[in-house]
Amino acid sequence: MKKILLLILASFGLLSVRAADKELEAKVQALLSKMTLEEKVRLSYAQTRFMSPGVQRLGVPELYTSDGPHGVRMEIQTHSWDHADWTNDSCTAFPALTCLAATWQPQLAAQYGRMVGEEARYRNKSVLLGPGVNIYRTPLNGRNFEYMGEDPILASRMCVPYIQGLQSNGVAACVKHYALNEQEVFRNHVDVRVSDRALYELYLRPFHAAVVEGGAWSVMGSYNQYMDQYATHNRRLINDILKKEWGFDGAVISDWGAAHDTDEAIFNGLDLEMGSFTDGLSMEAPLNSYDKYYLAKAYLEKCRKGEVPESVINDKAGRMLRLILRTSMAENRGFGSMNSPEHVATARKIAQEGIVLLKNNGILPLAPKANARILVVGENAVRSLCEGGGSSELKARDEVSPLRGIQERFGNACTVSYAKGYVSGRAMFGQADELPQSLYDSLRQEAVEMAKNVDYVIYVGGLNKNHFQDCEGGDRLTYNLPFGQDQLVAELLAANKNTILVMVSGNAYDMPWLASAPALVQSWYLGSESGHALADIISGDVCPSGKLPFSFAYRLNDYPAHKMGAVGYPGVSPDKLPQTLTGKISQPLNSELLLQSAIKGWKNIQFEQTPGDGAKKDESQIYGEDILVGYRWLDYFKTKVRFPFGFGLSYTTFQYGKPTIQGRTVSVEVKNTGKVAGQEVVQFYVGDDKASVVRPVKELKHFDKIALAPGESKVVTYTISDDDLKYFDETRHAWVAENGTFTIYVAASAADVKGKVSFKY
């Protein structure tokens, strides 16, 4: 019997995993038994900007971290934030994670993770700081471009293979930002109030997938607060949920400068404190400043006084040793590779499949006649979009601009000219250039005059990675496009009816000019192969197949975080919170109370409409929309949406058959009825027809991206699991599926349901 059991375990790959885990733990315990107290404590705080120490006496190497997750950041000075100015630290810049999510292709996520891991390994990095899996709650969030959209299932399905691919190189994923970091304004102190139901169903779900399914080796604590305690050493988030409930055996690493208290850091689960000084991101600090960290000498003194149990000391040191053994000391780790042709090709492939075609009156794919005149307009056609954005900045070995890509694709047969149209200033973190209005006026007028005398205009604009755009450390100030682009676009469309719009962003934005636009292409930050990928789509060399990972609403107030006023975003002074909703600061909010208030339009609550005075630690906010984020809110309140979650056009057409269900397996036939090969993302949503609690009309549970030749059909199937039917019950602290009828929606987007089937549970 024992022999049969061993054979079964081996067939599933479990025996080797358990044996490896057992061997790893034996090494951890052996090292701990040889270490002094001082050596154990020293593992828990940094010794340079991006490196933490090992144990030299025992041959345990240092741990080298690097910003990501879209590539390996250029080298930074050892003890300052200045670039090291190396000549050999250029990388392959992969598309931003919004683009990866827009591919709806987990196989590409696995390739992405593996290849960025190879580049990190080549640069001798042990931990890559990513992926980011925070939920898209507001289109103003400056860091949304680093995340994977508004749906936790999409984010989960995409982050797990990324993590597994990355860690196959012996480079740890550091999943961020744990948790509830859905905005950058007030990010260093805002106290987030949220129900347990929303916490588990939405905001923690991708982190759970990253840890439990992806096997992430480290997690980064975020800057903000939750229940009046900083997230990076939050007892409930880290000790109770991450380590106890989920069984996480890796290390919790602070965001840089996110630690605030020695006792909380010791006892609430922080394992490695990173940053530049205890007061945050100081630009200059003496070398011995690392000893002033909260987990440095202050921690050691408490240990020497007997105030810290040995079990806590060994747990922290053991987690750090486990991380080092999995990375810096991993056997058969390989050497990695940098800027290989395979990496560049994969970056281009991800960009191609992530670009979303939002509108097309037939002008695309572009097939200009010989000697046609094409005018490219827009700063983003030539601007480096790997620079800026904060910690995700990259030094790409070769960043192909959209202008270059269009010239290479069309320049042999056509005349391609360029006009800037607008300007935005230097790529900077933490500030924005102020430029004179006369400059905008002259650039706009020049571009419009040139547009009148060409056959086609290709406009490449949108956002960029400057402060108050898609950038860490601050949020956007408006839902509109910046730098006078709305006026510029409207005048270009009036000057030339063959104007193709390409908008680069990691966020949704207003489109007052949309009705006049023949075509709109949603680009993202596409990395090294940006220009080639865009030209591939515009020319029709590649059929577009990207789908939106978040909804494009008509107005900012269509997003409930903004609809409820400053209490929902960006936060208000705690004394201005509506007491009827808040309850005790030490307890999660009640989901049903929040939802019933939202259903009534919050008419029974007087919300403060202006933020607090901005004093440090002075803002709190309520996630009052609760579980109804993104398309869930738009569905529930039947709100018209400009472009729904999951939406994306193609150069071909797809016909869905009538879905059927047998047992718990749903089947639908999809046929390519057009003239070119293409890919379609078949989406399956589940709704509880009559629940005892408020539930979304439908929630994404499964999707498949299929490739079809012209005339080809495929049957796509999805088998419903019990987990697909559950909601999180706050009173029982458990996932619950109620008896009753459930509807499965087969859809091409959240607003384009092709068919429905039902079954009883």
Side-chain angles (χ1 to χ4, degrees):
M1 185 67 184
K2 183 178 179 181
K3 185 176 181 181
I4 294 174
L5 180 60
L6 291 174
L7 287 171
I8 293 172
L9 290 173
S11 68
F12 284 96
L14 297 177
L15 186 62
S16 60
V17 171
R18 291 175 182 174
D21 286 346
K22 196 171 182 180
E23 182 180 351
L24 177 70
E25 291 310 305
K27 291 179 179 178
V28 169
Q29 295 307 315
L31 286 168
L32 283 173
S33 69
K34 298 175 183 178
M35 290 170 64
T36 65
L37 172 63
E38 290 76 12
E39 287 170 337
K40 291 176 182 178
V41 169
R42 191 63 191 89
L43 288 174
S44 285
Y45 65 100
Q47 70 178 29
T48 73
R49 283 290 193 264
F50 283 94
M51 187 257 284
S52 65
V55 187
Q56 291 184 357
R57 183 178 65 85
L58 299 177
V60 178
E62 296 87 356
L63 198 69
Y64 291 90
T65 69
S66 175
D67 276 313
H70 311 133
V72 188
R73 191 181 186 182
M74 68 283 281
E75 211 64 32
I76 304 298
Q77 294 277 6
T78 304
H79 300 296
S80 80
W81 285 101
D82 295 331
H83 295 161
D85 294 328
W86 288 12
T87 58
N88 62 345
D89 58 348
S90 298
C91 69
T92 301
F94 290 86
L97 291 188
T98 41
C99 179
L100 177 63
T103 70
W104 293 61
Q105 185 64 278
Q107 295 93 326
L108 283 178
Q111 292 179 42
Y112 189 130
R114 176 173 64 83
M115 291 178 186
V116 79
E118 288 172 352
E119 301 217 350
R121 175 65 194 95
Y122 185 87
R123 291 267 303 280
N124 196 33
K125 305 303 181 184
S126 315
V127 180
L128 189 76
L129 304 176
V133 296
N134 295 87
I135 295 298
Y136 186 108
R137 181 174 177 258
T138 163
L140 300 188
N141 182 8
R143 219 158 179 183
N144 274 336
F145 73 96
E146 294 187 50
Y147 303 144
M148 299 191 188
E150 70 186 33
D151 185 84
I153 297 300
L154 176 61
S156 297
R157 283 279 305 276
M158 299 303 290
C159 80
V160 167
Y162 176 107
I163 291 164
Q164 292 170 337
L166 173 64
Q167 294 187 165
S168 69
N169 294 281
V171 176
C174 188
V175 187
K176 61 186 188 183
H177 301 90
Y178 186 78
L180 301 168
N181 181 189
E182 274 74 46
Q183 65 190 59
E184 290 297 287
V185 63
F186 301 157
R187 70 169 180 170
N188 291 312
H189 57 271
V190 67
D191 186 26
V192 176
R193 306 296 316 285
V194 63
S195 76
D196 263 8
R197 190 170 167 207
L199 186 69
Y200 278 82
E201 290 189 20
L202 297 179
Y203 300 104
L204 291 187
R205 201 158 191 164
F207 289 101
H208 178 269
V211 168
V212 175
E213 299 174 44
W217 294 336
S218 64
V219 168
M220 180 189 290
S222 58
Y223 287 116
N224 53 281
Q225 298 182 79
Y226 164 66
M227 295 202 313
D228 204 32
Q229 193 171 70
Y230 283 98
T232 208
H233 38 66
N234 187 287
R235 181 182 297 273
R236 185 157 194 258
L237 289 176
I238 296 173
N239 284 352
D240 297 345
I241 297 174
L242 179 64
K243 292 184 174 179
K244 291 179 182 176
E245 285 187 25
W246 300 351
F248 176 63
D249 71 350
V252 174
I253 302 174
S254 75
D255 206 337
W256 270 232
H260 292 268
D261 183 87
T262 293
D263 283 342
E264 288 187 4
I266 293 171
F267 295 106
N268 293 353
L270 180 61
D271 300 306
L272 174 60
E273 182 184 355
M274 298 298 291
S276 357
F277 210 66
T278 51
D279 63 351
L281 301 178
S282 297
M283 296 302 292
E284 299 294 338
L287 297 186
N288 66 354
S289 67
Y290 300 104
D291 290 334
K292 298 179 182 179
Y293 278 25
Y294 295 104
L295 282 180
K297 283 189 174 180
Y299 172 31
L300 180 60
E301 288 304 310
K302 285 181 175 289
C303 292
R304 286 172 173 165
K305 292 177 182 178
E307 297 176 8
V308 184
E310 188 176 6
S311 60
V312 173
I313 299 168
N314 285 339
D315 181 67
K316 283 189 193 302
R319 288 174 182 273
M320 290 307 301
L321 288 171
R322 195 176 295 123
L323 182 57
I324 293 170
L325 285 164
R326 284 168 166 165
T327 57
S328 302
M329 294 182 72
E331 297 179 7
N332 303 317
R333 192 178 177 208
F335 299 101
S337 61
M338 201 78 180
N339 293 310
S340 72
E342 184 186 15
H343 292 183
V344 175
T346 298
R348 184 170 181 169
K349 175 72 170 173
I350 294 165
Q352 291 168 344
E353 293 210 21
I355 293 169
V356 183
L357 181 61
L358 293 179
K359 183 179 180 182
N360 185 21
N361 71 353
I363 193 173
L364 292 177
L366 186 63
K369 295 179 181 178
N371 300 317
R373 295 160 299 168
I374 299 173
L375 173 66
V376 178
V377 179
E379 187 187 56
N380 280 350
V382 296
R383 183 185 183 90
S384 172
L385 292 172
C386 292
E387 297 178 5
S391 60
S392 67
E393 65 173 347
L394 295 172
K395 184 166 73 175
R397 186 189 64 171
D398 182 20
E399 183 180 357
V400 180
S401 70
L403 177 60
R404 175 179 153 192
I406 292 166
Q407 287 172 331
E408 289 181 5
R409 177 59 180 82
F410 295 105
N412 288 336
C414 304
T415 300
V416 179
S417 56
Y418 173 69
K420 199 163 194 175
Y422 71 93
V423 65
S424 65
R426 297 165 291 165
M428 292 185 294
F429 175 54
Q431 58 182 318
D433 275 342
E434 293 186 10
L435 303 171
Q437 183 61 43
S438 59
L439 179 58
Y440 290 109
D441 292 340
S442 63
L443 289 173
R444 183 183 71 253
Q445 291 164 7
E446 177 191 37
V448 171
E449 286 304 311
M450 291 176 67
K452 294 176 182 178
N453 300 305
V454 297
D455 298 297
Y456 299 96
V457 175
I458 301 176
Y459 179 79
V460 187
L463 306 180
N464 61 34
K465 292 184 180 178
N466 276 11
H467 193 47
F468 299 137
Q469 301 304 315
D470 287 326
C471 184
E472 178 186 358
D475 286 348
R476 298 167 63 199
L477 302 178
T478 174
Y479 194 44
N480 289 84
L481 293 178
F483 318 122
Q485 287 182 83
D486 286 333
Q487 181 180 354
L488 171 60
V489 169
E491 291 185 14
L492 286 172
L493 290 168
N496 192 312
K497 64 180 181 179
N498 293 325
T499 297
I500 298 161
L501 303 179
V502 177
M503 295 298 179
V504 180
S505 77
N507 267 303
Y509 44 86
D510 198 8
M511 304 175 182
W513 30 257
L514 181 62
S516 302
L520 173 59
V521 176
Q522 174 58 33
S523 178
W524 316 98
Y525 300 105
L526 299 180
S528 292
E529 287 293 289
S530 173
H532 287 152
L534 274 172
D536 292 337
I537 295 296
I538 290 170
S539 66
D541 293 343
V542 173
C543 185
S545 64
K547 300 276 189 172
L548 290 178
F550 51 79
S551 309
F552 273 67
Y554 277 94
R555 293 164 295 276
L556 187 60
N557 274 357
D558 287 342
Y559 298 93
H562 297 273
K563 197 178 188 71
M564 65 186 290
V567 167
Y569 172 90
V572 297
S573 298
D575 63 310
K576 296 178 182 177
L577 292 176
Q579 297 302 308
T580 49
L581 282 184
T582 55
K584 294 181 180 179
I585 196 73
S586 60
Q587 297 294 326
L589 299 181
N590 180 279
S591 174
E592 281 298 290
L593 180 58
L594 288 177
L595 287 167
Q596 292 303 328
S597 297
I599 289 168
K600 294 174 183 177
W602 294 300
K603 293 176 182 176
N604 58 333
I605 303 296
Q606 294 299 311
F607 286 110
E608 177 68 32
Q609 294 300 311
T610 57
D613 60 11
K616 193 172 183 181
K617 301 183 182 179
D618 193 44
E619 285 82 27
S620 296
Q621 69 181 154
I622 294 175
Y623 282 18
E625 69 276 33
D626 202 58
I627 59 167
L628 299 178
V629 171
Y631 68 87
R632 292 165 169 81
W633 176 275
L634 299 167
D635 270 1
Y636 195 92
F637 292 101
K638 297 181 173 61
T639 305
K640 190 177 180 182
V641 60
R642 180 170 271 143
F643 293 113
F645 171 80
F647 175 84
L649 300 174
S650 173
Y651 293 152
T652 189
T653 53
F654 300 97
Q655 182 182 76
Y656 284 67
K658 186 176 181 180
T660 60
I661 186 167
Q662 187 168 11
R664 284 199 177 187
T665 300
V666 180
S667 301
V668 63
E669 185 177 50
V670 180
K671 182 178 182 179
N672 182 344
T673 54
K675 297 180 180 179
V676 298
Q679 296 185 86
E680 173 70 339
V681 179
V682 183
Q683 302 162 41
F684 296 88
Y685 298 77
V686 174
D688 188 343
D689 290 1
K690 190 176 181 181
S692 64
V693 295
V694 176
R695 299 196 68 177
V697 174
K698 61 181 184 296
E699 298 175 273
L700 181 73
K701 295 298 179 181
H702 183 73
F703 57 88
D704 273 316
K705 190 169 191 177
I706 57 171
L708 295 172
E712 183 182 8
S713 298
K714 284 184 181 178
V715 175
V716 181
T717 62
Y718 153 55
T719 300
I720 305 153
S721 69
D722 283 355
D723 287 342
D724 293 335
L725 311 178
K726 294 178 179 178
Y727 71 93
F728 189 81
D729 188 315
E730 294 173 331
T731 59
R732 289 186 268 183
H733 196 77
W735 290 89
V736 174
E738 296 181 320
N739 292 330
T741 302
F742 289 82
T743 297
I744 295 84
Y745 302 80
V746 179
S749 78
D752 186 9
V753 175
K754 300 296 187 180
K756 299 184 287 187
V757 292
S758 298
F759 81 102
K760 291 188 180 295
Y761 175 71

